[in-house]
Amino acid sequence: MNAQHLIRIGGAARGRFYGVGLLVGALSLVATAPAEASIELNFGADSTSSNPTATGASAKVVMSFIDSLLPGEVDLELLISNTTGSPVFGSGATASMLTGFAIDLPIGVSLVANSLMTDLDGDTVAYFDTLLVNASLPPFGSVDFGVADNANFQGGNANGALPAGSSDKVSIKLSGGTAADLEAAFLSALTDPGDDSYELTSFVRFQQVNAGEGSDKLTDPTITMTPPPPPTDGEVPEPASLFVWAMVATLGVGSATGCRQRNRA
């Protein structure tokens, strides 16, 4: 039975059909929930610096994977923080401007062109508003993509970059599986020497550092998982779950009345 046939049948059938559609939409919202954990990259005292002695500039990047509304695509959210001065190490920097972050992609994962979204938190300033493909940062080579404050990842004016103590969130679209698939692929490629993608290169770039050489580049971050908080007794359902149950209740009433390669260089 096609849609035109449904339009011509009685009101009760139309109500039930519409109700089922709403329920499917509600369940789709639950299916687009973030993967159960995030990957955290910490660039700091244990990382490799481009300088003989690290300036002390540091950063943290949290990668979260969310199934997109478009089939076959995943939203990769990047929460990027300039953590310079917390703690103090190397030459003792306490201020810097973080100009960008870049990383390789695991084998089988691709970047969706022109998919950068900025200002996800509704802030008035989006620091990383430039998507770079095959981002290059000597002496660390090139990686598949990066986000930066401008198109000149290696230098240029850093006045619009991310200052110490601040964070910015951006999102790009990837393809190659579900959110859970991509999260597992990145984690394996970042941490498992047996993975063909191992190890993915990633780096961050700093300028206007108030110590040492005055600028820095860091690679080899410390990698950790950030799991969700464990469930507790009497835990309140998540908003999406509440929405689904509300929809089910609504549908019940309605029926009664008739009613979603890595390119190393």
Side-chain angles (χ1 to χ4, degrees):
M1 181 179 292
N2 59 34
Q4 292 178 338
H5 290 150
L6 286 169
I7 291 172
R8 288 196 293 268
I9 63 179
R14 288 202 303 273
R16 286 192 292 271
F17 177 75
Y18 179 67
V20 171
L22 288 176
L23 177 58
V24 171
L27 293 174
S28 296
L29 290 178
V30 176
T32 60
E36 292 186 354
S38 298
I39 300 174
E40 185 173 299
L41 284 63
N42 283 282
F43 297 85
D46 295 327
S47 300
T48 300
S49 171
S50 58
N51 298 317
T53 299
T55 60
S58 61
K60 178 175 72 176
V61 180
V62 178
M63 306 170 63
S64 300
F65 301 82
I66 303 171
D67 284 308
S68 172
L69 295 177
L70 299 177
E73 294 185 357
V74 170
D75 293 323
L76 170 60
E77 286 191 355
L78 301 172
L79 176 59
I80 306 172
S81 303
N82 185 337
T83 58
T84 300
S86 300
V88 174
F89 66 94
S91 297
T94 57
S96 72
M97 302 295 275
L98 175 57
T99 65
F101 161 74
I103 191 170
D104 273 324
L105 295 171
I107 294 171
V109 178
S110 301
L111 175 70
V112 177
N114 303 316
S115 62
L116 177 67
M117 294 182 62
T118 63
D119 195 21
L120 299 186
D121 291 325
D123 297 329
T124 56
V125 177
Y127 294 95
F128 301 111
D129 57 3
T130 304
L131 178 62
L132 304 174
V133 178
N134 297 325
S136 177
L137 190 65
F140 301 140
S142 298
V143 297
D144 289 328
F145 81 93
V147 292
D149 66 321
N150 60 54
N152 186 0
F153 201 19
Q154 300 181 31
N157 189 316
N159 290 336
L162 185 69
S166 299
S167 299
D168 192 23
K169 183 186 288 186
V170 300
S171 174
I172 61 167
K173 291 188 180 296
L174 303 176
S175 62
T178 65
D181 293 335
L182 267 59
E183 181 179 82
F186 268 93
L187 184 62
S188 177
L190 285 165
T191 62
D192 183 3
D195 190 298
D196 289 340
S197 300
Y198 183 81
E199 63 183 11
L200 299 187
T201 297
S202 60
F203 43 67
V204 287
R205 170 80 163 114
F206 301 91
Q207 293 179 250
Q208 298 181 15
V209 185
N210 69 341
E213 301 292 329
S215 66
D216 212 343
K217 308 166 190 176
L218 297 180
T219 189
D220 300 329
T222 300
I223 300 163
T224 59
M225 292 292 292
T226 305
T232 59
D233 292 339
E235 184 176 33
V236 177
E238 295 181 0
S241 300
L242 291 173
F243 178 72
V244 170
W245 286 113
M247 289 302 305
V248 171
T250 301
L251 293 178
V253 173
S255 297
T257 58
C259 346
R260 162 146 38 175
Q261 132 153 180
R262 174 175 149 229
N263 180 21
R264 293 288 300 273

